[in-house]
Amino acid sequence: MADKFCYVDENLKVINENIAETADKCGRDINSFRLMAVTKTVAPEIVNHAVNLGLKLLGENRVQEFLSKQEIYDKSAEVHFIGHLQTNKVKYIIEPMSMIQSVDNIKLAKEINRLAIAHNKVMDILCEVNIGGEDSKSGVAPDRLRELLEQISEMQGIKVKGLMTIPPPSNSDIFLGRMAELFNDIKSTEIPAVAMDELSMGMTHDYQQAIKYGSTIIRIGTGLFGIRNYN
Ligand SMILES: *Cc1c(COP(=O)(O)O)cnc(C)c1O
């Protein structure tokens, strides 16, 4: 079993070396950020192998796929939702997820709030920002972010923990920098009941840059599990 999936061990070793080198270069403590394993299209047995290697944070993109794998998952891992989320699907993930990183509109926030209250929990969320202003991407526009955060801050069933982004791949460096600025700006002008503890950014192609720009959660799929057949 372990042998069959040993490419994950090898991949993780490379990532850990890169992380250590980058953290050292930019003077960050390696414990000041976390590595998330992004599991889309990956068989649950392989995900569990990664969990056994110490990857205790999983990122899920699709509600349906998560529901089909959930039973098999090692329960010692924490699971965050990171994909585009339709309002009518929130009910399936309100219990199993410990964070929803992809909140970008008030309608979705209201439904998360309603269901969280019904389940007697407070859901941690991140607001997803469309930092590159790309039509194809989810996320709130940077100039609408503060308004959204203020509206969500009133909701008893939600605790805002920070921001998430997927920058345009071709200009990652510039947009990671802009995202860091936006994050620090919001953080320094404190919004009551809104925490800016988490900045989720950095994927396989840009996680080292993201660490330099202050990411607290890097989300890696391909670099860990190999190339996917679909996205
Ligand atoms: C797929 C995905 C990732 C991981 O991307 P890789 O390039 O495979 O590392 C990270 N975040 C989100 C939101 C994703 O959908």
Side-chain angles (χ1 to χ4, degrees):
M1 195 71 158
D3 271 359
K4 201 162 79 186
F5 302 140
C6 67
Y7 63 93
V8 179
D9 308 45
E10 290 302 314
N11 290 342
L12 179 60
K13 192 165 161 258
V14 171
I15 293 166
N16 278 333
E17 283 167 7
N18 290 340
I19 286 175
E21 188 191 311
T22 306
D24 188 47
K25 261 194 212 148
C26 61
R28 288 192 67 187
D29 180 345
I30 52 164
N31 296 312
S32 65
F33 55 91
R34 290 187 284 171
L35 169 57
M36 164 186 279
V38 175
T39 68
K40 58 184 180 256
T41 78
V42 180
E45 293 77 15
I46 305 177
V47 174
N48 284 347
H49 180 74
V51 175
N52 280 326
L53 294 175
L55 284 158
K56 299 291 181 190
L57 180 60
L58 305 179
E60 295 293 317
N61 279 77
R62 293 185 185 81
V63 172
Q64 223 53 49
E65 183 181 330
F66 169 68
L67 294 176
S68 74
K69 286 154 61 167
Q70 181 185 19
E71 291 288 295
I72 307 163
Y73 275 173
D74 186 320
K75 299 294 178 287
S76 70
E78 180 184 345
V79 189
H80 291 185
F81 195 79
I82 61 171
H84 179 68
L85 182 57
Q86 286 169 285
T87 307
N88 62 2
K89 300 255 173 81
V90 176
K91 57 177 178 285
Y92 301 114
I93 63 164
I94 201 77
E95 203 53 59
M97 297 289 159
S98 61
M99 187 184 280
I100 298 174
Q101 296 201 358
S102 46
V103 178
D104 63 357
N105 68 82
I106 194 69
K107 185 167 160 251
L108 177 59
K110 278 184 178 162
E111 179 65 356
I112 294 169
N113 184 50
R114 185 184 75 78
L115 287 164
I117 290 169
H119 284 251
N120 246 319
K121 73 185 268 184
V122 177
M123 180 59 90
D124 287 343
I125 67 134
L126 305 182
C127 279
E128 180 175 354
V129 180
N130 186 354
I131 195 67
E134 297 167 285
D135 289 340
S136 61
K137 290 236 174 93
S138 316
V140 61
D143 61 349
R144 307 294 304 276
L145 174 63
R146 185 173 293 272
E147 183 191 357
L148 181 63
L149 290 169
E150 282 168 356
Q151 286 173 312
I152 298 176
S153 73
E154 311 273 319
M155 300 180 182
Q156 301 302 312
I158 294 184
K159 175 70 187 170
V160 179
K161 291 290 203 178
L163 306 177
M164 182 270 243
T165 198
I166 307 170
S170 52
N171 273 315
S172 218
D173 198 58
I174 291 168
F175 288 103
L176 289 167
R178 282 198 196 159
M179 194 63 205
E181 262 176 48
L182 183 63
F183 179 81
N184 288 325
D185 177 50
I186 301 270
K187 190 171 175 142
S188 66
T189 58
E190 290 174 30
I191 301 171
V194 169
M196 281 293 132
D197 299 332
E198 300 284 7
L199 177 55
S200 173
M201 60 184 193
M203 308 181 4
T204 297
H205 69 284
D206 62 0
Y207 68 90
Q208 287 168 283
Q209 287 151 290
I211 290 168
K212 287 185 204 147
Y213 285 111
S215 174
T216 65
I217 302 176
I218 55 173
R219 311 178 308 262
I220 302 187
T222 312
L224 206 50
F225 298 115
I227 291 168
R228 290 179 294 273
N229 294 324
Y230 66 96
N231 268 300

